Short mmCIF file of all heavy atoms in Angstrom, two decimals:
data_model
loop_
_atom_site.label_atom_id
_atom_site.label_comp_id
_atom_site.label_asym_id
_atom_site.label_seq_id
_atom_site.Cartn_x
_atom_site.Cartn_y
_atom_site.Cartn_z
N ILE A 1 59.48 34.46 133.42
CA ILE A 1 58.20 35.15 133.26
C ILE A 1 57.14 34.24 132.66
O ILE A 1 55.95 34.36 132.97
CB ILE A 1 58.38 36.42 132.41
CG1 ILE A 1 59.31 37.41 133.11
CG2 ILE A 1 57.03 37.08 132.11
CD1 ILE A 1 58.84 37.88 134.47
N SER A 2 57.56 33.31 131.82
CA SER A 2 56.59 32.37 131.25
C SER A 2 55.93 31.54 132.34
O SER A 2 54.72 31.24 132.29
CB SER A 2 57.25 31.47 130.20
OG SER A 2 58.15 30.54 130.81
N LYS A 3 56.70 31.19 133.36
CA LYS A 3 56.15 30.41 134.47
C LYS A 3 55.20 31.27 135.30
O LYS A 3 54.14 30.81 135.73
CB LYS A 3 57.28 29.87 135.35
CG LYS A 3 58.14 28.82 134.64
CD LYS A 3 59.30 28.38 135.53
CE LYS A 3 60.15 27.34 134.84
NZ LYS A 3 61.32 26.93 135.66
N LYS A 4 55.58 32.52 135.52
CA LYS A 4 54.74 33.42 136.32
C LYS A 4 53.42 33.74 135.63
O LYS A 4 52.42 34.03 136.31
CB LYS A 4 55.49 34.72 136.62
CG LYS A 4 56.61 34.58 137.62
CD LYS A 4 57.22 35.94 137.95
CE LYS A 4 58.29 35.81 139.02
NZ LYS A 4 58.88 37.12 139.37
N THR A 5 53.41 33.72 134.31
CA THR A 5 52.21 34.10 133.56
C THR A 5 51.51 32.89 132.96
O THR A 5 50.60 33.05 132.15
CB THR A 5 52.57 35.09 132.44
OG1 THR A 5 53.56 34.49 131.58
CG2 THR A 5 53.12 36.39 133.02
N ASN A 6 51.95 31.71 133.32
CA ASN A 6 51.34 30.48 132.80
C ASN A 6 51.35 30.45 131.27
O ASN A 6 50.36 30.09 130.63
CB ASN A 6 49.91 30.32 133.33
CG ASN A 6 49.38 28.91 133.14
OD1 ASN A 6 50.13 27.93 133.14
ND2 ASN A 6 48.07 28.79 132.96
N SER A 7 52.47 30.85 130.71
CA SER A 7 52.63 30.88 129.25
C SER A 7 53.51 29.72 128.80
O SER A 7 54.45 29.33 129.51
CB SER A 7 53.30 32.19 128.81
OG SER A 7 52.61 33.32 129.27
N ASP A 8 53.25 29.20 127.62
CA ASP A 8 54.22 28.30 127.01
C ASP A 8 55.41 29.14 126.57
O ASP A 8 55.29 30.35 126.35
CB ASP A 8 53.59 27.58 125.82
CG ASP A 8 52.67 26.45 126.25
OD1 ASP A 8 53.18 25.34 126.43
OD2 ASP A 8 51.46 26.69 126.43
N PHE A 9 56.56 28.49 126.41
CA PHE A 9 57.80 29.23 126.17
C PHE A 9 58.62 28.55 125.09
O PHE A 9 58.81 27.32 125.11
CB PHE A 9 58.60 29.30 127.47
CG PHE A 9 60.01 29.79 127.32
CD1 PHE A 9 60.28 31.09 126.93
CD2 PHE A 9 61.09 28.94 127.58
CE1 PHE A 9 61.59 31.54 126.80
CE2 PHE A 9 62.39 29.37 127.45
CZ PHE A 9 62.64 30.68 127.06
N ILE A 10 59.10 29.34 124.15
CA ILE A 10 60.04 28.86 123.14
C ILE A 10 61.21 29.84 123.08
O ILE A 10 61.01 31.05 122.89
CB ILE A 10 59.40 28.75 121.74
CG1 ILE A 10 58.30 27.68 121.74
CG2 ILE A 10 60.45 28.43 120.68
CD1 ILE A 10 57.54 27.60 120.42
N ASP A 11 62.41 29.34 123.28
CA ASP A 11 63.62 30.16 123.18
C ASP A 11 64.11 30.09 121.74
O ASP A 11 64.64 29.06 121.30
CB ASP A 11 64.69 29.64 124.14
CG ASP A 11 65.91 30.53 124.20
OD1 ASP A 11 66.00 31.48 123.39
OD2 ASP A 11 66.78 30.28 125.05
N LEU A 12 63.95 31.18 121.00
CA LEU A 12 64.35 31.18 119.59
C LEU A 12 65.86 31.01 119.41
O LEU A 12 66.31 30.67 118.32
CB LEU A 12 63.88 32.46 118.91
CG LEU A 12 62.36 32.60 118.73
CD1 LEU A 12 62.03 33.87 117.95
CD2 LEU A 12 61.77 31.37 118.02
N ASN A 13 66.63 31.23 120.48
CA ASN A 13 68.08 31.00 120.38
C ASN A 13 68.41 29.53 120.13
O ASN A 13 69.49 29.21 119.65
CB ASN A 13 68.76 31.46 121.67
CG ASN A 13 68.74 32.96 121.82
OD1 ASN A 13 69.44 33.66 121.11
ND2 ASN A 13 67.93 33.45 122.74
N ASN A 14 67.49 28.65 120.47
CA ASN A 14 67.69 27.22 120.22
C ASN A 14 67.25 26.81 118.82
O ASN A 14 67.42 25.64 118.45
CB ASN A 14 66.91 26.40 121.25
CG ASN A 14 67.40 26.61 122.66
OD1 ASN A 14 68.58 26.86 122.87
ND2 ASN A 14 66.50 26.53 123.63
N ILE A 15 66.73 27.75 118.05
CA ILE A 15 66.15 27.42 116.74
C ILE A 15 66.78 28.20 115.61
O ILE A 15 67.05 27.64 114.54
CB ILE A 15 64.63 27.70 116.77
CG1 ILE A 15 63.95 26.87 117.86
CG2 ILE A 15 63.98 27.42 115.41
CD1 ILE A 15 62.53 27.29 118.13
N VAL A 16 67.05 29.49 115.83
CA VAL A 16 67.51 30.35 114.73
C VAL A 16 68.73 31.17 115.13
O VAL A 16 69.09 31.26 116.31
CB VAL A 16 66.39 31.32 114.27
CG1 VAL A 16 65.17 30.55 113.80
CG2 VAL A 16 66.02 32.29 115.39
N LYS A 17 69.34 31.79 114.13
CA LYS A 17 70.42 32.76 114.32
C LYS A 17 70.11 33.99 113.48
O LYS A 17 69.57 33.89 112.38
CB LYS A 17 71.76 32.16 113.89
CG LYS A 17 72.23 31.01 114.75
CD LYS A 17 73.59 30.50 114.29
CE LYS A 17 74.06 29.34 115.18
NZ LYS A 17 75.36 28.80 114.73
N VAL A 18 70.46 35.16 114.02
CA VAL A 18 70.21 36.39 113.27
C VAL A 18 71.17 36.51 112.10
O VAL A 18 72.25 35.90 112.08
CB VAL A 18 70.32 37.63 114.19
CG1 VAL A 18 69.24 37.61 115.27
CG2 VAL A 18 71.70 37.73 114.82
N SER A 19 70.79 37.31 111.14
CA SER A 19 71.59 37.48 109.93
C SER A 19 72.88 38.24 110.21
O SER A 19 72.87 39.23 110.95
CB SER A 19 70.77 38.24 108.88
OG SER A 19 71.57 38.62 107.79
N PRO A 20 74.00 37.84 109.61
CA PRO A 20 75.24 38.60 109.74
C PRO A 20 75.17 39.95 109.03
O PRO A 20 76.04 40.80 109.22
CB PRO A 20 76.29 37.68 109.09
CG PRO A 20 75.52 36.80 108.16
CD PRO A 20 74.19 36.59 108.82
N ILE A 21 74.14 40.15 108.23
CA ILE A 21 73.99 41.43 107.53
C ILE A 21 73.78 42.57 108.52
O ILE A 21 74.37 43.64 108.39
CB ILE A 21 72.84 41.38 106.51
CG1 ILE A 21 73.17 40.39 105.39
CG2 ILE A 21 72.57 42.77 105.93
CD1 ILE A 21 72.04 40.17 104.42
N ASP A 22 72.91 42.33 109.52
CA ASP A 22 72.64 43.41 110.47
C ASP A 22 72.63 42.97 111.94
O ASP A 22 72.44 43.79 112.83
CB ASP A 22 71.32 44.12 110.13
CG ASP A 22 70.07 43.25 110.31
OD1 ASP A 22 70.19 42.12 110.82
OD2 ASP A 22 68.98 43.72 109.95
N GLY A 23 72.87 41.68 112.20
CA GLY A 23 72.96 41.21 113.57
C GLY A 23 71.68 41.28 114.36
O GLY A 23 71.69 41.18 115.60
N LEU A 24 70.54 41.40 113.65
CA LEU A 24 69.26 41.63 114.32
C LEU A 24 68.10 40.86 113.69
O LEU A 24 67.27 40.29 114.40
CB LEU A 24 68.95 43.14 114.30
CG LEU A 24 67.60 43.61 114.79
CD1 LEU A 24 67.42 43.28 116.27
CD2 LEU A 24 67.45 45.12 114.55
N HIS A 25 68.06 40.84 112.37
CA HIS A 25 66.92 40.26 111.67
C HIS A 25 67.23 38.87 111.11
O HIS A 25 68.34 38.36 111.25
CB HIS A 25 66.45 41.21 110.57
CG HIS A 25 65.89 42.49 111.12
ND1 HIS A 25 66.59 43.68 111.10
CD2 HIS A 25 64.71 42.74 111.75
CE1 HIS A 25 65.85 44.62 111.68
NE2 HIS A 25 64.72 44.08 112.09
N LEU A 26 66.23 38.27 110.47
CA LEU A 26 66.29 36.86 110.09
C LEU A 26 66.24 36.66 108.58
O LEU A 26 65.53 37.39 107.88
CB LEU A 26 65.12 36.11 110.73
CG LEU A 26 64.97 36.26 112.25
CD1 LEU A 26 63.67 35.63 112.71
CD2 LEU A 26 66.16 35.62 112.96
N ASP A 27 66.96 35.64 108.10
CA ASP A 27 66.87 35.31 106.68
C ASP A 27 65.72 34.32 106.47
O ASP A 27 65.10 33.84 107.42
CB ASP A 27 68.21 34.76 106.16
CG ASP A 27 68.61 33.42 106.77
OD1 ASP A 27 67.72 32.62 107.15
OD2 ASP A 27 69.82 33.15 106.86
N PRO A 28 65.39 34.01 105.23
CA PRO A 28 64.23 33.14 104.95
C PRO A 28 64.29 31.76 105.61
O PRO A 28 63.25 31.24 106.03
CB PRO A 28 64.24 33.03 103.43
CG PRO A 28 64.82 34.33 102.97
CD PRO A 28 65.90 34.63 103.98
N VAL A 29 65.47 31.18 105.70
CA VAL A 29 65.59 29.86 106.32
C VAL A 29 65.15 29.92 107.78
O VAL A 29 64.45 29.03 108.28
CB VAL A 29 67.04 29.34 106.21
CG1 VAL A 29 67.21 28.06 107.03
CG2 VAL A 29 67.40 29.08 104.75
#
């Protein structure tokens, strides 16, 4: 979709991991 909409794209899976506390949100790091 980023290509179709001429958007820059960042996959957060390559940068962060969700918290084991809830499997959804992020810690400060």
Side-chain angles (χ1 to χ4, degrees):
I1 297 300
S2 70
K3 293 177 180 178
K4 287 185 177 181
T5 58
N6 196 30
S7 305
D8 283 272
F9 168 66
I10 295 175
D11 186 353
L12 291 184
N13 290 288
N14 296 329
I15 301 168
V16 301
K17 294 181 179 179
V18 296
S19 170
I21 294 174
D22 67 6
L24 173 63
H25 294 104
L26 306 172
D27 66 30
V29 172

